[in-house]
Amino acid sequence: MKSPRPISIWGFIVALALLAGSLAAPSAASAVPAQERSGGIGIRLVPGASSVSGEPLTFSYVVERLAPGSRVTRQIEVSNTTDATADVAVFPAAASIVEGKFSFAPGRTGDPLSSWTTVAQSVVHLAPGATVVDAVTIKLPTGASSGERYAVVWAQVSAPSPTQSGVRLVNRVGVRMYVSVGKGGSPAAKFTVSPLVAGRSANGDPLVAANVHNVGQGALDITGALTLSDGPGGLSAGPFPFTLGALLAPHHSAIGYVELDSQIPRGPWRADLTLSSGGTQQSSVTTIIYPARIPAGGQRSIFVSLMLVGLIVLMLLLAAGALVLFSRRHHLRLA
Amino acid sequence: MRKCVLLLTVLGAVTVGIVLPAGASTPASFTLTSGTLSISAPIAGVSLGSQVASTTSSVMSGSLGAVTVSDQRGGTTTWTASVISTAFTPTAGPADPATNVSYSAGPIVASGPVVATAYPVTDLTGVVTVVTGASTGISTATWSPTISIVVPANFAPGVYTATITSSVA
């Protein structure tokens, strides 16, 4: 008599909970984490055979070594994370290395590499949240001359034309292309590393800088590590990773930095930087001492601390003097 | 005798069966692929305002709306944001050239491990770098640029339009 009621009440509660859970679950599944809802147009390179070379930046850039007359197809994925349908134009355009930096040409300006590159779909119509994979084919003519060529594959969207006066905005995002033309394998990586320089970053942390110069014929993805040894008290530290973050074009140089923790003592240290790219390794060993850290407030705080020290010494002297006088008086009395 | 042979065969088979898998090794690996590099979609039609035509040159400026660059490629990567502007062209009359257009990114709000540096530029005729980012992981950088345009003296009244292209790669 008594038992059916509690069971049925609990059963009702459990059923309610399950119902609430099932209603909540789909909305939880469809909710996009805050940092992904960037509300934009994205482009992603799908890894290909050349990405297996292991160099990290070949996953972000189209890096290929092609003989004249050959072809390769890479896939890119274009995504739309906005709330509206987007018509995205996909096309290759020229790029070059200017003053050591990768520079894009305006609009759809072409260069040899962009003229050898075609995309399967030049306009993709993307619903909100949709992605599409587009194929990018590079086909070299038989007479293509050797050397490194640069281009960018762009995914571009425009705001609708303004009805009133104003500015029409066009935004585009792209994947860089570094294509080395020539027969056989990639040219051997050749680069030099300058002696290391120790300094301090803007926020006072010790850093080590090295200038890397690419003397070979191909763009290099340079990575390595810095090790500190023979430090104060026999300390050693590291290895700390060193990367340049972008491919270094032939005959260009770049300065890379390793920023260290502020706890690292000044030195002297034996700093050993070993860099590698494409199977070639170079290292630079230098004895370094970090410059003195400038305390916040600079000279004024040094003056203040000196004054404080002086005051303390003065007070101690006065106290010592008072103690001597007091004990003498006391001694006389006692005596 | 037969039982012995049978027993030995079975023992031999079992031993081989136990030994072989222990000697064989399976190489395993995993690959982390790159995520996307994205730029925010532009807002529709930006107006820089209006003012009375004048016999002296003046400067008009306005905001282009926020630009967000999200680098989800992972690892140590860099990106460069560049801008180019066309001339501000009226329906009739001389255009205000892009050499008179300046771009200032203003403060950049970074989320995640990225160091974003702004370069104010005063001539948008060619593709000029306005912001560079050095990211060591998944990161986002947002800025609200202001563009200013010098309106030369004695320019005729009218609606002046231009196209500003922002590129990130």
Side-chain angles (χ1 to χ4, degrees):
Chain A
M1 282 295 188
K2 223 165 122 182
S3 48
R5 238 197 250 165
I7 288 175
S8 68
I9 286 176
W10 280 114
F12 182 60
I13 290 170
V14 167
L16 263 184
L18 280 174
L19 187 65
S22 66
L23 282 173
S27 61
S30 65
V32 178
Q35 61 262 37
E36 279 179 32
R37 190 161 282 291
S38 55
I41 301 299
I43 194 166
R44 182 178 87 88
L45 178 65
V46 176
S50 71
S51 308
V52 187
S53 71
E55 316 253 87
L57 287 172
T58 60
F59 286 98
S60 306
Y61 304 146
V62 173
V63 180
E64 298 288 342
R65 166 78 178 171
L66 293 174
S70 64
R71 70 196 293 167
V72 71
T73 301
R74 299 293 305 268
Q75 314 269 340
I76 55 165
E77 193 184 81
V78 181
S79 52
N80 173 15
T81 49
T82 64
D83 296 328
T85 310
D87 283 314
V88 183
V90 182
F91 58 90
S96 56
I97 309 279
V98 172
E99 289 175 6
K101 291 189 164 44
F102 195 93
S103 302
F104 326 131
R108 292 176 184 244
T109 312
D111 67 359
L113 179 56
S114 70
S115 66
W116 303 331
T117 306
T118 50
V119 294
Q121 301 171 71
S122 51
V123 177
V124 291
H125 191 73
L126 288 175
T131 62
V132 73
V133 174
D134 205 348
V136 177
T137 304
I138 307 167
K139 186 172 184 323
L140 297 192
T142 48
S145 54
S146 305
E148 276 249 323
R149 303 274 195 284
Y150 312 104
V152 181
V153 179
W154 293 109
Q156 176 173 297
V157 279
S158 319
S161 295
T163 48
Q164 330 164 304
S165 73
V167 178
R168 180 166 155 267
L169 296 176
V170 173
N171 285 7
R172 58 185 190 172
V173 66
V175 169
R176 301 187 190 183
M177 297 170 60
Y178 293 75
V179 174
S180 170
V181 178
K183 291 200 172 109
S186 296
K190 278 191 226 162
F191 61 95
T192 60
V193 190
S194 70
L196 306 175
V197 172
R200 293 219 175 248
S201 67
N203 55 8
D205 290 339
L207 60 80
V208 174
N211 191 20
V212 185
H213 187 66
N214 183 353
V215 294
Q217 288 165 18
L220 301 178
D221 179 9
I222 293 177
T223 57
L226 171 77
T227 312
L228 299 177
S229 57
D230 290 340
L235 287 174
S236 53
F240 305 102
F242 174 101
T243 48
L244 285 179
L247 292 184
L248 186 59
H251 313 299
H252 285 90
S253 42
I255 300 178
Y257 302 91
V258 182
E259 200 170 315
L260 306 172
D261 196 274
S262 54
Q263 307 269 0
I264 302 265
R266 282 185 62 196
W269 294 97
R270 181 193 139 106
D272 195 325
L273 179 68
T274 305
L275 300 181
S276 63
S277 175
T280 304
Q281 229 181 34
Q282 292 286 341
S283 55
S284 177
V285 179
T286 315
T287 303
I288 58 169
I289 300 180
Y290 293 105
R293 187 199 308 270
I294 298 174
Q299 290 168 335
R300 190 184 286 175
S301 68
I302 292 175
F303 181 64
V304 167
S305 50
L306 278 174
M307 276 196 62
L308 277 173
V309 167
L311 273 172
I312 290 168
V313 166
L314 192 62
M315 283 177 61
L316 283 172
L317 282 172
L318 282 171
L323 194 64
V324 163
L325 282 173
F326 179 78
S327 70
R328 275 199 186 159
R329 236 185 248 169
H330 198 74
H331 185 77
L332 281 170
R333 273 196 202 154
L334 280 175
Chain B
M1 183 59 183
R2 268 190 214 166
K3 275 189 189 169
C4 266
V5 171
L6 187 61
L7 185 61
L8 279 170
T9 315
V10 169
L11 271 176
V14 168
T15 313
V16 168
I18 290 170
V19 165
L20 269 181
S25 61
T26 308
S29 64
F30 68 87
T31 307
L32 290 177
T33 58
S34 246
T36 61
L37 174 67
S38 69
I39 189 171
S40 50
I43 58 177
V46 171
S47 168
L48 295 181
S50 64
Q51 69 180 30
V52 176
S54 166
T55 51
T56 55
S57 90
S58 56
V59 175
M60 292 183 72
S61 49
S63 165
L64 286 187
V67 178
T68 300
V69 174
S70 171
D71 186 354
Q72 296 178 11
R73 295 175 293 178
T76 304
T77 51
T78 58
W79 48 262
T80 305
S82 318
V83 172
I84 186 173
S85 174
T86 61
F88 278 75
T89 311
T91 44
D96 197 348
T99 48
N100 286 341
V101 184
S102 314
Y103 182 107
S104 170
I108 304 175
V109 176
S111 154
V114 63
V115 174
T117 315
Y119 301 90
V121 290
T122 53
D123 179 351
L124 291 190
T125 318
V127 178
V128 279
T129 302
V130 291
V131 179
T132 57
S135 165
T136 51
I138 311 289
S139 63
T140 306
T142 306
W143 64 95
S144 294
T146 308
I147 65 157
S148 309
I149 178 151
V150 174
V151 180
N154 297 319
F155 253 43
V159 172
Y160 291 75
T161 56
T163 300
I164 295 185
T165 305
S166 303
S167 316
V168 172

